[in-house]
Amino acid sequence: MESPSSSSSSSSSTRSEQYRNWLELPRDVTASILQRLGAIEILESAQKVCMHWRNLCKDPSMWRAIDMRNHEYWDLDHLEKMCRHAIDRSSGQLRDISIEYFGTDDLLKHITHSSSQLRRLRLVSCYHIMDEGLNEAAAKLPLLEELEITICLFSKEPLMALGRCCPLLKSFKLNRQGIRSVHIECDEEAVAVAESMPELRHLQLFGNQLTNDGLNAILNGCPHLESLDLRRCFNVNLSGDLGKRCAERIKSLRRPDDPTDDYEFAAEIDDGGSFDEDDPSGMSDIDYVSLSEGYGHYEFSGESDLSYDDFSDYDFYDFGDYYFG
């Protein structure tokens, strides 16, 4: 018969095997796990767990990709400071960055001045980035291969600048919401793409107001296109010769009325028939309200407990319940 002490020892051994020490994982495995959290979770939570994780989170290689997409109630100034801190930690190794809601001209300048090797840039609902800011940034992105601009308001000039300054650009997403109730036609963005981005392989124009003329310009100016997403582009009619041309040229074609189940944002708005004819984007005041209601612009009643102005690199001794020597 097994003695009580033997049984207790066996049980303890079993528990030890079930609950392995995460600190014993190889460094590259731990890094891979942490990188899946995203920049916000790393800075706000993961790096506080222990000194081993903190030291790993300060490695520049951890910040080659910075995902600052945000679906919570946040102080946008706090997010921008956090993003700058993450960019500084990359020590020039940044290749891929996604920012949502809190982008500004100054932040974009900081990104381009700090990251000469940037390959992918994703801007979502960044209403505080102006044409001038994007124009200036374009000149510092010669290696850019993928660009996404979603629910932002830019004229054709910065788009032309991006095309001219980013000769390696292969994938471009310029997305809005589809508007069925108002007939607005605008081919300026399509023409900008056609005239300045001849090497594109993948193009998404979700909710764009281009017409068949704009689409023909794209097909003429972008001969290497392999995929084209025209969902909610309600001014495009793909019947007849144009539809046949697209089918013959494009390997992966998403048509205006194709399903939007895999689209990350709300697909359509109904603006009630009001728009500003002086706005080349076709976006009215009511559209701005609809976008902010549908895409998470929030009111904040208080400041975060953490002040990035007070600390240069999170190297402080008392952070909540954690101690860093």
Side-chain angles (χ1 to χ4, degrees):
M1 175 180 295
E2 186 176 19
S3 67
S5 61
S6 175
S7 175
S8 174
S9 175
S10 175
S11 176
S12 175
S13 176
T14 301
R15 285 197 300 270
S16 177
E17 291 176 359
Q18 288 177 339
Y19 302 104
R20 295 184 183 279
N21 188 347
W22 279 57
L23 297 179
E24 295 176 354
L25 288 174
R27 182 181 176 87
D28 60 335
V29 174
T30 303
S32 179
I33 293 171
L34 292 175
Q35 285 173 326
R36 285 167 168 76
L37 296 177
I40 296 173
E41 289 79 5
I42 291 175
L43 291 175
E44 290 290 294
S45 302
Q47 72 166 6
K48 305 178 199 176
V49 171
C50 63
M51 283 302 300
H52 175 64
W53 280 20
R54 173 171 168 72
N55 290 334
L56 185 58
C57 289
K58 295 178 68 175
D59 189 326
S61 66
M62 287 284 294
W63 304 98
R64 290 172 181 163
I66 297 175
D67 184 353
M68 293 292 293
R69 285 176 290 183
N70 153 53
H71 301 289
E72 302 292 340
Y73 292 84
W74 279 90
D75 179 327
L76 301 189
D77 289 337
H78 177 66
L79 278 172
E80 181 172 347
K81 292 175 183 178
M82 191 186 304
C83 186
R84 288 174 180 270
H85 182 74
I87 292 166
D88 293 341
R89 279 196 177 184
S90 74
S91 299
Q93 296 188 31
L94 182 63
R95 302 290 189 273
D96 179 341
I97 187 166
S98 299
I99 56 178
E100 188 171 5
Y101 303 132
F102 61 91
T104 63
D105 287 344
D106 285 342
L107 177 60
L108 192 57
K109 181 183 293 187
H110 187 67
I111 291 170
T112 56
H113 282 219
S114 305
S115 316
S116 62
Q117 305 296 312
L118 202 67
R119 262 66 168 185
R120 181 175 183 268
L121 174 63
R122 185 177 189 264
L123 306 175
V124 178
S125 298
C126 294
Y127 297 115
H128 296 290
I129 297 179
M130 304 291 108
D131 279 2
E132 295 78 7
L134 194 57
N135 257 322
E136 183 179 336
K140 298 184 179 297
L141 297 170
L143 301 181
L144 197 68
E145 298 176 2
E146 299 181 39
L147 174 64
E148 177 180 343
I149 299 174
T150 293
I151 321 296
C152 300
L153 301 173
F154 299 114
S155 69
K156 69 175 182 179
E157 282 74 18
L159 302 183
M160 293 285 289
L162 285 162
R164 290 192 300 266
C165 297
C166 307
L168 302 180
L169 194 63
K170 299 295 190 297
S171 176
F172 183 39
K173 296 181 179 181
L174 183 63
N175 299 327
R176 294 196 180 128
Q177 291 173 303
I179 308 175
R180 284 186 184 272
S181 61
V182 176
H183 186 70
I184 306 169
E185 296 183 353
C186 182
D187 283 319
E188 286 190 351
E189 293 168 339
V191 171
V193 170
E195 293 182 353
S196 67
M197 303 180 186
E199 297 302 320
L200 282 184
R201 268 61 174 176
H202 310 284
L203 177 62
Q204 184 176 68
L205 296 173
F206 199 104
N208 200 275
Q209 290 129 13
L210 83 163
T211 68
N212 283 13
D213 291 339
L215 178 53
N216 269 311
I218 289 172
L219 294 176
N220 291 333
C222 306
H224 307 295
L225 270 185
E226 299 174 7
S227 68
L228 177 60
D229 190 343
L230 298 171
R231 285 177 294 172
R232 298 307 182 258
C233 295
F234 297 123
N235 297 329
V236 171
N237 185 345
L238 292 181
S239 62
D241 291 341
L242 182 58
K244 181 180 179 181
R245 185 184 182 194
C246 286
E248 293 174 347
R249 278 275 315 277
I250 309 299
K251 295 179 181 178
S252 176
L253 176 65
R254 308 293 292 272
R255 297 171 178 270
D257 286 314
D258 278 357
T260 61
D261 298 349
D262 61 342
Y263 188 58
E264 185 175 353
F265 305 97
E268 290 181 42
I269 57 174
D270 186 337
D271 73 352
S274 171
F275 70 97
D276 183 353
E277 294 180 353
D278 295 327
D279 183 353
S281 69
M283 304 298 287
S284 66
D285 290 341
I286 198 166
D287 291 335
Y288 292 105
V289 173
S290 300
L291 290 175
S292 65
E293 288 175 351
Y295 286 89
H297 287 267
Y298 306 112
E299 295 291 330
F300 304 106
S301 58
E303 296 294 329
S304 166
D305 292 335
L306 175 63
S307 173
Y308 282 78
D309 292 327
D310 297 333
F311 309 107
S312 63
D313 193 27
Y314 275 82
D315 285 325
F316 42 90
Y317 292 97
D318 185 8
F319 191 161
D321 297 327
Y322 302 96
Y323 177 85
F324 299 125

